[in-house]
C-alpha cells in the first residue's frame, strides 16, 4: 500500500512555498505572463493538497470527532483566507511593495509542510480494503473518474464547482 495522504500535503506545501516565492520577482506589467504561469502552478499544486488533506483528517481524528474536525478545518480555511488577505493588504500598504507579503505567505506554506510532515506515516497508509486496484497515480485517477462519471450527482456537483471556481478566479 502507498502512503500518499501524508506525503502529498507536505510535498504540496513545499512546492507551494517555492512557487509563492516566485511572485517576489514579478515587478511590472511586462511580467504578466510569468505571473499567470505562477498563479496557475500554485493553483494546480493546491488541487493535490486539498483532497490529500481531506483524506488525512479521518485517519488522525476518531470517527466521533470527524464532524467537528471537518467543521474546524473548513472554518479555519475561510478565516485564514480573510485574515491573510487583509494582512497582505496591510503589509503591502505599509511596505509600499509586495515582496514581504509573498515571503510571509511562503513561510506559512513552509510551516504547514513541517507540521504535516510530523504526522505519522502510518496515518496515511490505506488499508487493503481502501486500496484501489492497479498501480500508480494514473490507475487511481482513472478509477476515481469512473466513479465520478458513473454518478450524476458527483459529476454535476464537480461541474458546478468548476464553473464557480473559474468565476472566483476571474
Amino acid at each position: 500500500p502507498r502512503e500518499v495522504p501524508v506525503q502529498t500535503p507536505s510535498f504540496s506545501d513545499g512546492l507551494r512555498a517555492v512557487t509563492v516565492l516566485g511572485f517576489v520577482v514579478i515587478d511590472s506589467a511586462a511580467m504578466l505572463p510569468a505571473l499567470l504561469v505562477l498563479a496557475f502552478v500554485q493553483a494546480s499544486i493546491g488541487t493535490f493538497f486539498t483532497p490529500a488533506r481531506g483524506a488525512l483528517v479521518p485517519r488522525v481524528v476518531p470517527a466521533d470527532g470527524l464532524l467537528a474536525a471537518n467543521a474546524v478545518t473548513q472554518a479555519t480555511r475561510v478565516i485564514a483566507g480573510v485574515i491573510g488577505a487583509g494582512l497582505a493588504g496591510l503589509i503591502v500598504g505599509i511596505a509600499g511593495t509586495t515582496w514581504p507579503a509573498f515571503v510571509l505567505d511562503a513561510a506559512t506554506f513552509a510551516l504547514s509542510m513541517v507540521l504535516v510532515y510530523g504526522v505519522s506515516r502510518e496515518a496515511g497508509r490505506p488499508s487493503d480494503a481502501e486500496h484501489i486496484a492497479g498501480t500508480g497515480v494514473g490507475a487511481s485517477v482513472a478509477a476515481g473518474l469512473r466513479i465520478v462519471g458513473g454518478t450524476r450527482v458527483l459529476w454535476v456537483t464537480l461541474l458546478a464547482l468548476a464553473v464557480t471556481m473559474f468565476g472566483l478566479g476571474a
Side-chain angles (χ1 to χ4, degrees):
R2 295 168 288 144
E3 301 175 357
V4 174
V6 172
Q7 291 176 343
T8 301
S10 62
F11 184 71
S12 295
D13 276 342
L15 286 176
R16 290 194 295 181
V18 171
T19 303
V20 167
L21 284 176
F23 287 109
V24 170
V25 301
I26 306 297
D27 64 354
S28 70
M31 297 185 79
L32 182 60
L35 173 77
L36 295 174
V37 168
L38 285 171
F40 176 79
V41 168
Q42 184 190 14
S44 297
I45 295 168
T47 63
F48 293 98
F49 173 83
T50 302
R53 179 194 62 208
L56 183 60
V57 171
R59 296 181 184 289
V60 296
V61 175
D64 60 343
L66 194 54
L67 181 61
N70 284 328
V72 168
T73 298
Q74 183 66 10
T76 302
R77 187 186 67 78
V78 170
I79 291 168
V82 170
I83 292 172
L87 184 59
L90 183 66
I91 290 170
V92 171
I94 291 171
T97 185
T98 59
W99 72 263
F102 289 121
V103 170
L104 181 61
D105 193 22
T108 64
F109 284 123
L111 176 62
S112 176
M113 178 183 73
V114 169
L115 292 173
V116 172
Y117 191 77
V119 174
S120 166
R121 294 195 184 274
E122 288 303 311
R125 189 178 302 278
S127 68
D128 288 339
E130 296 170 318
H131 187 71
I132 295 175
T135 58
V137 174
S140 297
V141 169
L145 289 174
R146 280 192 298 277
I147 291 169
V148 170
T151 308
R152 185 171 190 260
V153 171
L154 282 177
W155 66 260
V156 168
T157 301
L158 288 175
L159 180 62
L161 181 60
V163 169
T164 302
M165 295 309 291
F166 182 74
L168 288 174

